Amino acid sequence: MNKEVILGILIPFIGTTLGAACVFFMKDEINPKVQKALSGFAAGVMVAASIWSLLIPAMEMVDEKMGRMSWIPAAIGFLIGIFFLLFLDSAIPHQHIDSDKPEGLKNESLRRTTMMVLAVVIHNIPEGMAVGVSFAGVIYGHGKITMTQALVLAIGIAIQNFPEGAIISMPLKTVGTSKNKAFWAGVGSGAVEPIAAVITILLSQIMIPILPYLLAFAAGAMFYVVVEELIPEATGEGESHTNVGTLGSAAGFVIMMILDVMLG
């Protein structure tokens, strides 16, 4: 891994850290409508990244060999990614910020704040994998994925990580956690991304033939997070239902699409 790759896998983590630092500058908790808009924005970015930065390159890698059947690796990898995140979601005890009930395996010894951080960690794992497999495509993909494309994906995830960092640190402060602990909790939740990215790159080195499947796997994992977590957070239910999450999702999708097509 050269300096560009190392910097690239750190970009999303920097976005999360800057967002978590908002706990030192913002006095009140995030407005619910703003939080829904930010969740929608993150969903839009992740959907666009899944398509243009992961699924399309996965199919392009095998297009010469498989032709019209190039969708097979993309479909298989995508579904495996979905089931992998379903397993993590079911196995790891966690609790979403806007929920009163914990999910995953029961562990009464864990504090609510810890489970809130674990929920974000589950969310960040596929993002780190997506960045890692994208840079692995640069290193081992024989030119099918460019460094610019990988950097665009990293920057896009960093953009949506900034509000995510604030979304995790600010609620922790409101439930009684000190500003310093809330900040480091946000930083810690984001640290999983470069770790997941490095592990993915190292695994890709010994699994070059299935790199298209890994790209689609990351796309499926991200898509699971969007449908399972971000969309419900963005839209709300009953009296809390609002359209700002939908508008935020559209904005995130368009911005990521423009970045990927223009720069990638």
Side-chain angles (χ1 to χ4, degrees):
M1 291 187 287
N2 57 31
K3 292 181 179 179
E4 286 182 311
V5 174
I6 294 173
L7 174 61
I9 63 179
L10 287 175
I11 288 175
F13 174 64
I14 294 171
T16 304
T17 301
L18 293 175
C22 291
V23 73
F24 295 115
F25 307 105
M26 298 174 65
K27 295 182 179 180
D28 302 319
E29 63 181 5
I30 301 176
N31 182 285
K33 285 190 176 182
V34 174
Q35 186 166 324
K36 290 181 184 299
L38 295 177
S39 295
F41 181 85
V45 168
M46 292 177 72
V47 170
S50 296
I51 297 171
W52 274 275
S53 299
L54 298 170
L55 288 175
I56 291 177
M59 290 184 281
E60 289 177 343
M61 278 187 177
V62 297
D63 185 57
E64 293 182 4
K65 294 181 178 180
M66 303 185 69
R68 292 185 178 181
M69 304 302 289
S70 60
W71 57 267
I72 292 177
I76 294 175
F78 185 88
L79 291 175
I80 294 175
I82 291 285
F83 286 110
F84 175 71
L85 257 291
L86 178 61
F87 166 75
L88 291 184
D89 203 28
S90 303
I92 299 176
H94 63 281
Q95 184 171 341
H96 297 294
I97 293 171
D98 60 346
S99 175
D100 296 327
K101 296 181 179 179
E103 299 179 18
L105 295 177
K106 292 184 178 181
N107 190 329
E108 297 181 358
S109 63
L110 291 178
R111 299 171 60 184
R112 180 170 181 263
T113 53
T114 301
M115 290 194 290
M116 289 169 65
V117 173
L118 286 174
V120 180
V121 168
I122 295 173
H123 176 133
N124 286 341
I125 288 174
E127 294 179 10
M129 294 174 60
V131 172
V133 76
S134 183
F135 280 103
V138 175
I139 300 171
Y140 311 116
H142 307 293
K144 295 297 182 180
I145 299 179
T146 66
M147 178 63 73
T148 303
Q149 284 177 305
L151 288 173
V152 166
L153 174 62
I155 291 171
I157 291 178
I159 291 173
Q160 62 101 12
N161 275 357
F162 179 83
E164 280 186 5
I167 287 174
I168 182 62
S169 63
M170 293 298 293
L172 288 176
K173 186 186 74 169
T174 60
V175 297
T177 306
S178 68
K179 289 184 178 180
N180 284 332
K181 288 184 177 181
F183 168 72
W184 287 111
V187 172
S189 69
V192 69
E193 292 195 20
I195 294 173
V198 171
I199 292 174
T200 303
I201 291 174
L202 294 177
L203 290 176
S204 299
Q205 186 175 4
I206 60 176
M207 296 188 291
I208 296 175
I210 64 169
L211 190 56
Y213 292 88
L214 293 178
L215 285 166
F217 174 90
M222 290 176 67
F223 193 80
Y224 178 91
V225 171
V226 170
V227 177
E228 170 71 15
E229 179 182 342
L230 295 179
I231 290 178
E233 288 180 0
T235 56
E237 297 179 358
E239 294 181 359
S240 66
H241 176 74
T242 177
N243 292 324
V244 296
T246 303
L247 296 176
S249 180
F253 185 92
V254 169
I255 289 174
M256 188 63 200
M257 178 182 66
I258 292 173
L259 285 174
D260 202 287
V261 174
M262 286 187 63
L263 301 180

